[in-house]
Amino acid sequence: MKTTLLTMVTAFLLSTTLQAATHVVQVKNFEFDPQDLFVNVGDTITWNWVNGNHTTTSDSVPAGALSWNNPITSASPSFSYIVTEEGIYSYICTVHVSMGMIGTITATSSTGIPSMKFSDVFFTIGNSNPSGAIMLNYVLSAPEQIQLCIMDLDGKIIQRHSENYPAGNSTAIIQTGEIPKGIYLIEAIAGNRRQVARCVLN
């Protein structure tokens, strides 16, 4: 009886934890509020019009995810998007992007830990990292911009970097500053490739 009850409680907690959520972004003045969202795959993002004439338009999405472009105005006051892939989604208001009207969505798996999804390995973590830093060794077939995120095991972004690297072998040293010691996830996106690796900060 106790085993059955425990199983039922566990199943209920799991179903509650894995239930998709809806996140609302207010579109007003010259901003998306909140500007940065942290969600799970399967969650829904809904943009609601408050004032002005705007759009929500994807700028970059993870491989396999659908792009979007929708007006957010008094005539089209709401738009919803279901997140289907892990990774970082960046979007803009095409009318006011020059005024900094941008937003990001960081999606992880329902466990909060992104899975390893990439077509080929394009970075490795150095064996002898400098104190207070992470050394990444890139091997690129062509010049590319790499978006890099340091995340905790719950998928929360601790640091974000974006930099252009030349073709061939490159080494990047990312200063970790005041990040506490522990285990972190390093996510890098280059073009349509994505790589996630675990890193221990000592």
Side-chain angles (χ1 to χ4, degrees):
M1 180 66 178
K2 288 183 179 180
T3 302
T4 303
L5 180 60
L6 179 60
T7 302
M8 292 174 62
V9 170
T10 303
F12 172 77
L13 290 174
L14 284 173
S15 65
T16 302
T17 301
L18 301 179
Q19 186 176 6
T22 298
H23 306 266
V24 176
V25 178
Q26 302 292 337
V27 184
K28 57 186 180 180
N29 301 324
F30 306 110
E31 66 175 352
F32 296 108
D33 183 21
Q35 183 178 33
D36 301 302
L37 285 175
F38 303 93
V39 307
N40 289 328
V41 170
D43 287 358
T44 297
I45 315 299
T46 298
W47 287 266
N48 285 338
W49 175 81
V50 177
N51 55 40
N53 292 307
H54 307 284
T55 74
T56 174
T57 304
S58 58
D59 186 41
S60 66
V61 299
L66 296 176
S67 58
W68 71 88
N69 181 22
N70 205 80
I72 304 293
T73 64
S74 58
S76 179
S78 184
F79 172 71
S80 294
Y81 178 87
I82 298 176
V83 176
T84 59
E85 299 290 337
E86 299 172 19
I88 298 175
Y89 300 68
S90 62
Y91 65 93
I92 62 174
C93 168
T94 57
V95 183
H96 302 113
V97 62
S98 63
M99 302 178 72
M101 194 168 179
I102 60 175
T104 64
I105 302 163
T106 301
T108 61
S109 66
S110 57
T111 62
I113 302 177
S115 61
M116 299 284 282
K117 292 171 58 181
F118 51 88
S119 57
D120 58 342
V121 174
F122 58 98
F123 83 81
T124 56
I125 297 176
N127 292 325
S128 56
N129 291 301
S131 177
I134 301 172
M135 185 169 64
L136 303 178
N137 302 308
Y138 293 100
V139 180
L140 302 174
S141 58
E144 285 188 283
Q145 182 184 65
I146 296 178
Q147 299 179 54
L148 181 74
C149 285
I150 301 174
M151 301 181 290
D152 64 20
L153 294 181
D154 291 325
K156 179 181 178 182
I157 294 179
I158 307 299
Q159 282 189 21
R160 179 183 289 141
H161 305 270
S162 182
E163 194 167 338
N164 294 314
Y165 290 93
N169 298 330
S170 297
T171 298
I173 297 178
I174 307 300
Q175 299 297 327
T176 54
E178 301 300 320
I179 299 179
K181 296 178 181 179
I183 301 174
Y184 294 88
L185 300 173
I186 309 297
E187 178 190 60
I189 298 174
N192 63 355
R193 296 173 297 163
R194 173 175 177 266
Q195 182 180 337
V196 178
R198 290 166 64 92
C199 178
V200 179
L201 296 182
N202 296 315

